[in-house]
Amino acid sequence: MIRGILIGVLAVGIAGTAYWGYQEHQEKNAILINAENNYQRAFHNLSYRMDLLNDKIGTTLAMNSKESLSPSLIEVWRLTSQAHGDVGQLPLTLLPFNKTEEFLANIGNFSYRTAVRDLSKEPLTDKEYQTLQVLYKQSGDIQNELRNVQHMVLKNNLRWMDVELALASGKENTDNTIIDGFKTVEKTVTSFAESDLGPTFSNFQKKDENFKKIKGKTISRNDAIQIAKKYMKFDGNSNVKVTDNGKGSDFGFYSVSIKNKTTEQEASMDITKKAGHPIWFINNRDIKKQSLSLNEANNKAAAFLKETGFKNLETFESTQYDNVGVFDFVTNINGVRIYPESVKVKVALDNGDIVGTSAEEYLKSFQTRTIEKPALTLEQARTKVNPKLKVMEQRQAMIVNDLNEDVLCYEFLGTLGEDTYRIFINAKTGLEEEVEKLKNAEATYEDVL
């Protein structure tokens, strides 16, 4: 009797386990099918949009009136944005595809930049038409390569999940039609010379992505360690790791990581090879009870930046989070704030240690700027501001607009109702370049319940 019951229970258990395994298998297959469908959709959308993009650039070349040209260029910009989104949905994160994405971004930048201006006053130049012709040819080359991949995918019923598995396992060098096809696309784009795009593209990337414009001598790995130790304030009992970033270039940066063996405290820092500027710095330590005021901490941050080689900086914003003060600095040249050149510094309010910095925007945006005399006076610019805004501060400032251009503005800081706004008026045209709503203090809900 007992034996029969046990056999019955065991049978039920085996059946339950089998059913559970079957359900798991079905759910797993459903997830894989859904992922495969999403990859297929994104890929075929990408191929389709590249067809449309090439056709639209071609028709734009034949247009003459600004009434037709502006909407056409906006359509080119829309298609490149969608194509860029399709690329982002494919399992290509482990496969170099940055040149193709950069090419799509360049087309989008060019079309947007051209479409938003008044073409009746500033029609397309001969050089811009030449640029369009080059983009038309190059987009056609990419279109053809993607069509080849698409043909092989459909002909051989290839699966994108196999691509993802190959990339994840590091077997992308094996025979894989889709991976090989996308490598060919990337190789095709890489062969496009930047000079082919003409001078129109010269202002798209104003940031110095490799810190080439920084002045100063090139530091050694040991110099980088000493700079890091200076700000980390660790004793000699530490483990130090240094990584050289920049593939042997005189530019680039060092990544330094230090761990204190005694306290187990860790800190990391990226330092430019030129002049040894900290790109970012994080010191992970517990911060005790506050003993410094926010103003004292601000002075500590300013002294840190001066010692590190940053010049002509002023604080434009300060915030306190628990026992940490966070300070935003920008360059000030003869009373003009240069907002692209910004540095953020975090200071521990228990003893004034620098526990974090972020200077990447400053280092990549830094350049010798010529600040022209504004065409409008402060009073004239003030009339362009909403009359309901109660202006508290006003000054000249330089910002980067949507077209990635430096623009000299008048900055007005004021309130409207309970909110605070920062408004930038173009000092040449009087246009409202940017309106920024500043964050209000966060409400607390501890006593609500």
Side-chain angles (χ1 to χ4, degrees), residues 257-275:
S257 176
I258 300 180
K259 182 176 182 179
N260 189 312
K261 294 181 180 179
T262 304
T263 63
E264 296 296 314
Q265 183 181 338
E266 295 184 33
S268 301
M269 194 174 192
D270 279 358
I271 304 168
T272 61
K273 293 180 181 178
K274 275 290 190 70

Side-chain angles (χ1 to χ4, degrees), residues 293-329:
S293 68
L294 206 59
N295 183 61
E296 290 172 322
N298 180 57
N299 292 336
K300 294 274 188 181
F304 163 79
L305 292 174
K306 188 175 181 180
E307 291 172 9
T308 318
F310 295 97
K311 299 178 180 179
N312 303 320
L313 293 179
E314 70 170 7
T315 310
F316 83 93
E317 199 168 68
S318 61
T319 315
Q320 181 173 344
Y321 298 97
D322 295 326
N323 294 327
V324 176
V326 181
F327 306 93
D328 288 298
F329 293 81

Side-chain angles (χ1 to χ4, degrees), residues 57 60-61 69-70 72-74 76-77 80 102-117 119 123-136 197-205 402-403:
I57 296 175
T60 302
L61 283 169
L69 198 55
S70 287
S72 183
L73 287 167
I74 287 295
V76 170
W77 171 73
T80 56
E102 183 181 330
F103 176 77
L104 291 171
N106 281 339
I107 297 179
N109 286 337
F110 173 81
S111 56
Y112 178 80
R113 180 190 183 98
T114 309
V116 296
R117 78 178 191 229
L119 291 174
L124 285 182
T125 64
D126 290 340
K127 290 179 179 179
E128 286 174 326
Y129 271 111
Q130 291 172 11
T131 299
L132 268 177
Q133 289 173 334
V134 172
L135 292 175
Y136 177 58
L197 296 175
T200 309
F201 278 74
S202 61
N203 291 327
F204 283 173
Q205 299 293 333
D402 290 339
L403 302 180

Side-chain angles (χ1 to χ4, degrees), residues 43-58 79 83 97 100 103-104 107 134-152 181-182 184-186 188-189 192:
F43 169 65
H44 292 298
N45 279 346
L46 172 63
S47 182
Y48 172 66
R49 285 183 176 123
M50 283 306 301
D51 287 346
L52 293 180
L53 180 62
N54 182 252
D55 290 343
K56 182 56 66 175
I57 296 175
L79 288 170
F97 208 58
T100 304
F103 176 77
L104 291 171
I107 297 179
V134 172
L135 292 175
Y136 177 58
K137 180 184 180 303
Q138 293 178 345
S139 63
D141 293 341
I142 297 175
Q143 175 192 37
N144 290 333
E145 295 297 344
L146 283 174
R147 280 182 174 180
N148 288 334
V149 178
Q150 187 179 40
H151 171 71
M152 296 304 296
F182 270 85
T184 302
V185 174
E186 182 74 354
T188 300
V189 179
F192 299 157

Side-chain angles (χ1 to χ4, degrees), residues 413-416 418-422 436-440:
L413 187 69
T415 58
L416 185 62
E418 299 296 320
D419 297 314
T420 303
Y421 297 87
R422 182 178 283 121
E436 177 188 358
K437 180 180 177 293
L438 304 185
K439 292 182 179 179
N440 296 323

Side-chain angles (χ1 to χ4, degrees), residues 330 337-342 361-362 365 369 398-400 406:
V330 293
R337 282 184 175 177
I338 313 297
Y339 278 104
E341 297 178 10
S342 63
E361 287 300 309
Y362 176 95
S365 300
R369 288 179 167 84
M398 184 171 286
I399 64 172
V400 175
D406 285 343

Side-chain angles (χ1 to χ4, degrees), residues 107-387:
I107 297 179
N109 286 337
F110 173 81
S111 56
Y112 178 80
R113 180 190 183 98
T114 309
V116 296
R117 78 178 191 229
D118 189 344
L119 291 174
S120 62
K121 295 180 180 178
E122 296 181 72
L124 285 182
T125 64
D126 290 340
K127 290 179 179 179
E128 286 174 326
Y129 271 111
Q130 291 172 11
T131 299
L132 268 177
Q133 289 173 334
V134 172
L135 292 175
Y136 177 58
K137 180 184 180 303
Q138 293 178 345
S139 63
D141 293 341
I142 297 175
Q143 175 192 37
N144 290 333
E145 295 297 344
L146 283 174
R147 280 182 174 180
N148 288 334
V149 178
Q150 187 179 40
H151 171 71
M152 296 304 296
V153 168
L154 295 173
K155 179 182 177 181
N156 299 318
N157 195 27
L158 301 177
R159 299 195 321 155
W160 277 92
M161 290 304 298
D162 295 335
V163 176
E164 186 173 43
L165 291 172
L167 291 172
S169 62
K171 296 180 180 179
E172 67 271 19
N173 292 324
T174 59
D175 184 21
N176 187 298
T177 302
I178 296 179
I179 293 178
D180 293 343
F182 270 85
K183 284 183 177 179
T184 302
V185 174
E186 182 74 354
K187 186 177 180 179
T188 300
V189 179
T190 304
S191 68
F192 299 157
E194 291 184 9
S195 58
D196 291 344
L197 296 175
T200 309
F201 278 74
S202 61
N203 291 327
F204 283 173
Q205 299 293 333
K206 284 202 170 185
K207 289 184 179 179
D208 174 15
E209 297 297 337
N210 205 24
F211 311 111
K212 294 180 181 178
K213 295 178 182 177
I214 296 174
K215 304 296 182 182
K217 69 175 184 178
T218 302
I219 66 170
S220 65
R221 292 166 64 92
N222 188 59
D223 292 333
I225 294 173
Q226 297 309 313
I227 291 171
K229 284 185 174 181
K230 177 180 178 182
Y231 295 107
M232 296 174 187
K233 296 183 178 180
F234 287 0
D235 57 34
N237 188 24
S238 303
N239 283 331
V240 181
K241 294 181 180 179
V242 182
T243 304
D244 189 338
N245 296 282
K247 297 181 180 179
S249 169
D250 288 338
F251 312 111
F253 58 94
Y254 294 108
S255 294
V256 183
S257 176
I258 300 180
K259 182 176 182 179
N260 189 312
K261 294 181 180 179
T262 304
T263 63
E264 296 296 314
Q265 183 181 338
E266 295 184 33
S268 301
M269 194 174 192
D270 279 358
I271 304 168
T272 61
K273 293 180 181 178
K274 275 290 190 70
H277 292 303
I279 302 169
W280 62 265
F281 165 52
I282 297 177
N283 188 347
N284 299 307
R285 74 167 179 84
D286 293 331
I287 299 172
K288 300 177 182 178
K289 185 177 179 180
Q290 178 177 350
S291 61
L292 274 73
S293 68
L294 206 59
N295 183 61
E296 290 172 322
N298 180 57
N299 292 336
K300 294 274 188 181
F304 163 79
L305 292 174
K306 188 175 181 180
E307 291 172 9
T308 318
F310 295 97
K311 299 178 180 179
N312 303 320
L313 293 179
E314 70 170 7
T315 310
F316 83 93
E317 199 168 68
S318 61
T319 315
Q320 181 173 344
Y321 298 97
D322 295 326
N323 294 327
V324 176
V326 181
F327 306 93
D328 288 298
F329 293 81
V330 293
T331 298
N332 186 315
I333 301 177
N334 298 325
V336 180
R337 282 184 175 177
I338 313 297
Y339 278 104
E341 297 178 10
S342 63
V343 183
K344 189 185 295 289
V345 182
K346 296 172 68 175
V347 181
L349 298 179
D350 56 357
N351 63 0
D353 279 352
I354 306 298
V355 292
T357 64
S358 177
E360 185 171 6
E361 287 300 309
Y362 176 95
L363 296 170
K364 289 184 176 181
S365 300
F366 178 79
Q367 58 182 290
T368 302
R369 288 179 167 84
T370 300
I371 301 176
E372 299 179 354
K373 186 177 180 180
L376 301 179
T377 64
L378 178 63
E379 291 72 22
Q380 290 172 325
R382 178 68 179 82
T383 64
K384 308 294 183 180
V385 177
N386 188 330

